[in-house]
């Protein structure tokens, strides 16, 4: 079986190998490496310098236009004019820390919360998805009095100390900590709900037996870094029941599926018909403006705050609120949730057609504009990560940007901005066919 892959290693430029780059690019990379050191991660065998974005496109320094199939941060479109002007106008008027009354901030909180089911009626604003998950873990431990967390085997939930411990796709060498249990990602077919819940129950039992106890299941409802597992809708209900029977909480990490991506409502958990105990948000929330949030029920937050309180200097500042508000406007005005469903369906059908033609394509899965496509060895069915890397680099030659995911890094992660349309889909499918055919 192929080796498991660290998420940051996927499609990564090898920082030491500059000899084959054009001299000006090599110099840029060496200078960057000198300042950013080992934490500098660049994509592609030949890194790209981006200078501008618009809608689903990015433009490099030489003026080349790339179709962005990968980027869920500028979720309503790169440099969306409505979001950019809302940020600029608010930055020119007032931007302070979060301890003053501010109508814009308060109205945004009310508006965002109106998209959540009862009893999720309190919002804490943060600056990143990592901060959101860190806080969610603290709330879960405070409420349950327990310290154990269950996550999927290739999950990614962020970069703080606590959140890295529950992000197995982020560490290659570090041992798993005793308060964390990993369960396999949902299977593709069969009794998806039952098998997932059985693994979960076993992990919960282990945590309880260890004396650490079970605080929460942290789950990304589209299982992005595990390789995208969306179906059947509703399968998380059984997991939720198992969590609650054990006295734990479910933290829905909406950093990836949230804000309309699945085409089935604004949140990924909506597709599963569940009401989580805590919801965390990030990247698409501000379309590139750094903002995140945690939504939970008031008694949970009160319980947590009674012990420690919470203050975030930048989280929920007036500029963030302006960005977030503009994002919600654009999602509504441009019907982006319906568009995600329609364009995503077109894309998925097209990929299923390609699968008939190319035996190296394995599973094709997803919801809305979040689709995973596995590359396999056609003889053995084993994951083929090197082939996925070749395709990613070849697509870049054709000016299409795309990344990989999954435990073995063999899954194309197809996740364009939500303004992606059928025309963009046709361009992507035609190019992928050419690349798969070796053209
Ligand atoms: N949760 C998920 C599911 C993510 O994909 C990410 C980022 N890739 C995070 C949390 C962390 O978000 P951030 O990088 O904004 O801290």
């Amino acid at each position: 079986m192929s080796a498991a892959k660290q998420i940051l290693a996927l499609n990564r430029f090898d920082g030491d190998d500059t000899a084959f780059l054009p001299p000006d690019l090599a110099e840029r990379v060496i200078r960057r490496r000198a300042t950013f050191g080992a934490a500098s991660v660049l994509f592609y065998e030949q890194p790209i310098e981006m200078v501008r974005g618009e809608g689903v496109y990015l433009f490099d320094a030489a003026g080349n236009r790339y179709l962005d199939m990968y980027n869920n941060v500028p979720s309503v479109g790169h440099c969306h004019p409505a979001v950019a002007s809302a940020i600029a106008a608010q930055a020119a008027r007032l931007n302070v820390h979060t301890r003053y009354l501010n109508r814009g901030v308060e109205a945004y909180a009310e508006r965002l919360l109106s998209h959540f089911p009862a009893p999720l009626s309190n919002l804490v604003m943060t600056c990143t998805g990592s901060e959101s998950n860190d806080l969610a873990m603290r709330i879960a431990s405070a409420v349950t009095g327990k310290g154990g967390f269950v996550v999927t085997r290739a999950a990614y939930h962020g970069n703080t100390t606590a959140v890295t411990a529950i992000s197995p796709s982020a560490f290659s060498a570090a041992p798993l900590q005793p308060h964390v249990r990993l369960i396999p990602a949902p299977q593709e077919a069969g009794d998806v709900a039952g098998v997932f819940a059985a693994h979960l129950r076993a992990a919960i039992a282990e945590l309880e037996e260890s004396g650490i106890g079970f605080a929460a299941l942290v789950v990304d409802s589209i299982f992005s870094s595990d390789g995208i597992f969306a179906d059947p809708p509703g399968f998380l209900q059984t997991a939720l029941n198992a969590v609650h029977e054990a006295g734990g909480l479910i933290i829905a990490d909406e950093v990836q599926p949230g804000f309309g991506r699945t085409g089935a409502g604004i949140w990924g958990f909506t597709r599963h018909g569940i009401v989580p105990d805590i919801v965390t948000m990030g990247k698409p929330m501000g379309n590139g403006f750094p903002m995140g949030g945690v939504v939970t029920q008031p008694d949970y937050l009160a319980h947590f705050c009674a012990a420690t309180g919470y203050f975030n200097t930048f989280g929920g500042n007036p500029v963030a609120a302006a960005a977030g508000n503009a994002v919600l406007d654009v999602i509504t005005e441009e019907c982006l949730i319906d568009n995600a469903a329609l364009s995503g369906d077109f894309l998925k059908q097209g990929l299923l057609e390609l699968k008939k033609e190319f035996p190296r394509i394995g599973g094709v899965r997803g919801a809305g504009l979040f689709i995973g496509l596995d590359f396999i060895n056609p003889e053995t069915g084993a994951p083929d990560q090197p082939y996925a890397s070749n395709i990613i680099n070849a697509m870049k030659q054709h000016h299409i940007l795309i990344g990989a995911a999954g435990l073995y890094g063999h899954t194309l992660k197809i996740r364009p901005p939500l303004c992606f349309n059928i025309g963009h889909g046709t361009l992507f499918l035609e190019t992928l066919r050419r690349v798969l055919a070796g053209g």
Side-chain angles (χ1 to χ4, degrees), residues 127-131 133 156-159 220 224 253 255-256 282-283:
C127 305
T128 65
S130 301
E131 272 189 342
N133 283 324
Y156 184 79
H157 296 293
N159 62 16
D220 159 359
S224 320
D253 179 338
V255 169
Q256 296 273 353
K283 301 201 266 204

